[in-house]
Amino acid sequence: MHGGRSSLAGTLLLRGLAVLVLVLFLGLPLLAVLAEALRRGAGPALAALADPDALASIRLTLLVAAITVPVNTVGGLAAAWCITRFRFPGRALLLALIELPFSVSPVISGLVWVLLFGSAGWFGPWLEERGLQIVFALPGLVLATLFVTFPFVARTLIPLMQEQGATAEEAAATLGASGWQSFFRVTLPQIRWALLSGVLLCNARAMGEFGAVSVVSGHIRGETNTMPLHIEILYNEYQFVGAFAVAALLALLALVTLAAKMVLERRGGGA
Amino acid sequence: MSVIIRGLSRRFGSAQALQDIELSVRAGEFVALLGPSGSGKTTLLRILAGLDFADGGTVQIGGVPMEGVPARRRGIGFVFQNYALFRHMTVFENVAFGLRVRPRASRPPEAEIAARVRRLLERMGIPELERRLPEQISGGQRQRVALARALAIEPPLLLLDEPFGALDAAVRHGLRRWLRELHNEMSLTSLFVTHDQEEAMALADRVAVLQAGRIAQIDTPEMVLERPANAFVAGFLGQAARLPAMLRDGAVDFAPLPLPPLPREALVSAPDRDGPVQAFIRAHEWRAEPAAPGQANAVLRSARPSGGMLQADIALGELTVEALLPAGPLRAGSPCLLRPLTARLFPA
């Protein structure tokens, strides 16, 4: 009895600690962002959001996410499919490459594009002659974000597709289904919740990415600043209300994404 | 629909999964591919279905060479070991799948699809399950759904991979008879893979015994059991004791085992030439009589009644022999005189 009671107390203590840590390290900063943004009331915060440069950064962030998320969804699906359904030379290498963006510092993820497409880079002069700008423009932002967020969809799908195996698809084939029919009627429905969850994570990161994007952006106000970059500029100029207002909006977007993911996971039973 | 396999080989890396397989199945036949795990039987089935590919040899199904024909154009019914039902579809949709994926020109109208699915579920004895998901039904029911799904495309050839492997014994026996009746009524040609010899013997017209990627023997269940083609088949089937012996001067000598010699005339089969042999003796081919300790060559360890007979473990020197004896005066611990009635011999 005594042992049971003390282990119960231990459990409660541990749970209390966990909750405390969560509140302290996750909840409090969020609250602080919101509090800072609203320190002078809702009016100035909303005004900061309505600023043309702020609006431009919001539009740019959404545009970059709108391009990168679909591309990485298709790319991640294709990569997961290849890796889990086929044995080929270089498969292990491909698996490692998918993880590369996670293991490389975001600054490097940005720098590679500057090295490739910047005016002093490998393809820079060639591009310049033809009037094509990649770095310090939308294409660079998209490329950097694509690179950084590529692993999310693939990494969510690979373990699940590995575990499910190919027998359902083989069954579809023996029943006369073509590759596309098998994909849309059998494969996709079996991974839909994991896919959505991966897409949402990818989206959250695409909107929030700072490091890689910062390198390729060039920080042109109203043109190449995404929300995270705009926040930094405002902060460095001591425009705290503006900085925290945009930050609060960005955090809200992330929270909505997470909430959507949670709802989907509950509905999908984790599959 | 007939199946003709000629010189089929398949290699996985350095492992030879199938080697020189020759097998002909007549239309309407029910053939078992029997063998221990790793003998290549599932690989053979998958090659027939177009899910795996041979390195050499040919397959003809219904007289048509199958080289280059993908699985989806073969029209073969395949029942997977773990059924591979589509988890996100109801039983009805699972069965309807093969009809729904047809090109529009050959796809039956919705009403006919529904009628066909219901007829099949009726035939499988599970009409009430059509709205359930696979996870909501039992293993035996899943097996029937998998069969219904495979049969919905009206395949002339049905392939089953360990069809009863995942079921408990009671369900297995019922489904076995039912499957055999289904095969006859729908005039199917069926091939099924199993590692369970009792299942193969109970269901099949002919049994192909696979040994390390080769067909060791193909024959009727009776012949495979009575006249095993080699030592592997003799050892794999029918729970025989395997004893080292010497064939010479028209008799088998079991020395150093304390068994009386058997004359050649008493043997079911034996090599033509004298020499060292392996003797296979089945449980019912032993006799044991009570004997005084001085004359006994064995001791009855334990015995339990089994259908009017006595299932006995008998210690013969350091060996333990399983014997099925006529009921008699022997009890556990009795010294006895043990002798084989017959044996199957293969060169050692």
Side-chain angles (χ1 to χ4, degrees):
Chain A
M1 272 318 265
H2 183 75
R5 193 168 302 167
S6 80
S7 85
L8 180 70
T11 311
L12 283 179
L13 188 73
L14 218 63
R15 274 190 207 171
L17 260 170
V19 170
L20 195 72
V21 167
L22 278 177
V23 168
L24 218 64
F25 287 98
L26 297 175
L28 217 54
L30 262 178
L31 216 64
V33 168
L34 213 64
E36 262 325 294
L38 298 172
R39 195 154 67 164
R40 299 208 194 120
L46 287 176
L49 287 178
D51 174 73
D53 287 350
L55 282 178
S57 78
I58 295 169
R59 264 199 303 274
L60 185 61
T61 295
L62 294 179
L63 180 62
V64 168
I67 297 172
T68 52
V69 171
V71 171
N72 273 346
T73 300
V74 174
L77 253 171
W81 172 273
C82 280
I83 280 175
T84 57
R85 293 296 179 263
F86 303 101
R87 295 278 171 277
F88 51 89
R91 182 175 170 273
L93 188 71
L94 185 59
L95 200 60
L97 271 179
I98 287 175
E99 307 241 308
L100 188 68
F102 276 174
S103 46
V104 159
S105 159
V107 176
I108 295 170
S109 312
L111 218 52
V112 290
W113 303 110
V114 176
L115 288 174
L116 285 175
F117 302 125
S119 54
W122 292 5
F123 305 108
W126 188 89
L127 289 164
E128 227 155 76
E129 275 169 33
R130 283 152 189 80
L132 295 170
Q133 178 140 30
I134 303 248
V135 172
F136 307 141
L138 179 66
L141 294 173
V142 169
L143 283 175
T145 311
L146 274 176
F147 182 80
V148 170
T149 59
F150 182 75
F152 287 101
V153 171
R155 284 304 306 170
T156 331
L157 291 182
I158 287 169
L160 180 69
M161 290 175 74
Q162 197 97 61
E163 181 212 315
Q164 286 181 344
T167 46
E169 285 143 19
E170 288 179 345
T174 62
L175 293 168
S178 68
W180 287 114
Q181 284 174 323
S182 171
F183 178 75
F184 284 110
R185 289 170 186 245
V186 176
T187 313
L188 206 52
Q190 287 189 346
I191 58 169
R192 58 189 157 181
W193 302 116
L195 179 65
L196 269 168
S197 145
V199 166
L200 290 173
L201 276 176
C202 176
N203 181 56
R205 183 64 187 268
M207 293 192 302
E209 174 58 23
F210 177 82
V213 165
S214 173
V215 176
V216 295
S217 152
H219 304 277
I220 308 166
R221 263 187 228 214
E223 281 185 37
T224 63
N225 271 347
T226 59
M227 286 169 82
L229 302 179
H230 188 63
I231 293 166
E232 197 213 12
I233 288 181
L234 292 177
Y235 184 82
N236 286 343
E237 293 173 350
Y238 304 103
Q239 299 188 37
F240 293 131
V241 169
F244 282 106
V246 181
L249 182 64
L250 188 58
L252 194 73
L253 286 176
L255 282 179
V256 167
T257 305
L258 275 184
K261 178 173 180 297
M262 229 168 72
V263 169
L264 288 174
E265 271 171 2
R266 190 161 300 177
R267 277 191 52 193
Chain B
M1 190 172 268
S2 69
V3 178
I4 299 170
I5 300 168
R6 291 270 168 270
L8 200 74
S9 298
R10 176 71 167 115
R11 174 180 278 282
F12 293 118
S14 63
Q16 191 77 43
L18 293 173
Q19 205 167 355
D20 260 334
I21 297 286
E22 301 276 333
L23 177 64
S24 294
V25 178
R26 290 182 293 274
E29 250 191 319
F30 203 141
V31 170
L33 301 174
L34 175 66
S37 57
S39 58
K41 50 200 193 309
T42 294
T43 304
L44 179 54
L45 209 65
R46 288 174 59 83
I47 289 174
L48 289 181
L51 296 173
D52 200 343
F53 301 94
D55 301 323
T58 59
V59 174
Q60 279 189 24
I61 296 177
V64 182
M66 283 292 121
E67 195 174 347
V69 181
R72 68 190 183 96
R73 298 211 189 282
R74 293 196 181 188
I76 294 171
F78 198 105
V79 177
F80 290 79
Q81 186 167 7
N82 292 308
Y83 318 134
L85 295 178
F86 305 130
R87 298 185 304 180
H88 59 288
M89 291 183 201
T90 61
V91 165
F92 182 97
E93 286 304 321
N94 262 282
V95 178
F97 185 88
L99 301 173
R100 289 205 198 285
V101 294
R102 282 190 185 171
R104 192 158 300 160
S106 59
R107 192 189 311 152
E110 188 57 33
E112 199 195 316
I113 291 180
R116 258 164 90 173
V117 170
R118 298 223 163 86
R119 209 159 49 233
L120 266 168
L121 291 177
E122 198 85 41
R123 181 65 192 78
M124 303 292 142
I126 46 171
E128 72 283 2
L129 299 181
E130 68 171 70
R131 282 156 199 259
R132 304 274 196 92
L133 287 171
E135 63 182 17
Q136 297 167 331
I137 60 178
S138 73
Q141 289 168 336
R142 277 179 212 161
Q143 162 73 274
R144 288 166 189 250
V145 175
L147 249 167
R149 185 178 69 175
L151 293 173
I153 59 169
E154 297 182 334
L157 176 63
L158 184 63
L159 306 175
L160 306 106
D161 189 3
E162 297 277 1
F164 310 111
L167 302 173
D168 56 64
V171 180
R172 196 153 61 207
H173 278 265
L175 273 180
R176 218 187 257 176
R177 189 176 320 117
W178 174 82
L179 178 64
R180 180 70 227 207
E181 284 166 11
L182 198 73
H183 166 92
N184 293 347
E185 280 174 33
M186 301 187 77
S187 46
L188 292 163
T189 305
S190 309
L191 263 116
F192 76 106
V193 155
T194 182
H195 65 270
D196 179 344
Q197 49 169 298
E198 195 202 338
E199 194 166 290
M201 301 298 165
L203 267 170
D205 299 320
R206 285 194 301 155
V207 178
V209 184
L210 272 87
Q211 170 194 12
R214 294 171 178 275
I215 291 188
Q217 187 173 9
I218 171 152
D219 218 325
T220 60
E222 297 75 26
M223 287 302 285
V224 173
L225 208 56
E226 283 309 307
R227 292 298 169 98
N230 63 22
F232 169 80
V233 179
F236 185 62
L237 299 178
Q239 288 152 350
R242 179 197 298 240
L243 306 176
M246 183 64 82
L247 181 64
R248 65 178 155 226
D249 307 331
V252 203
D253 185 359
F254 292 98
L257 286 170
L259 288 174
L262 263 177
R264 213 180 233 281
E265 301 80 66
L267 301 171
V268 179
S269 63
D272 295 331
R273 265 199 245 169
D274 283 1
V277 291
Q278 285 188 306
F280 292 86
I281 302 164
R282 303 226 165 98
H284 65 270
E285 293 164 350
W286 292 103
R287 286 294 174 272
E289 277 106 36
Q295 275 103 44
N297 63 357
V299 177
L300 192 96
R301 277 254 184 76
S302 64
R304 55 205 157 75
S306 165
M309 305 281 278
L310 210 57
Q311 177 94 49
D313 283 345
I314 299 173
L316 176 71
E318 293 185 348
L319 289 176
T320 300
V321 171
E322 274 180 41
L324 196 62
L325 305 170
L330 286 172
R331 294 289 168 266
S334 306
C336 58
L337 192 62
L338 181 70
R339 64 188 166 88
L341 295 177
T342 183
R344 290 164 184 78
L345 303 190
F346 295 94

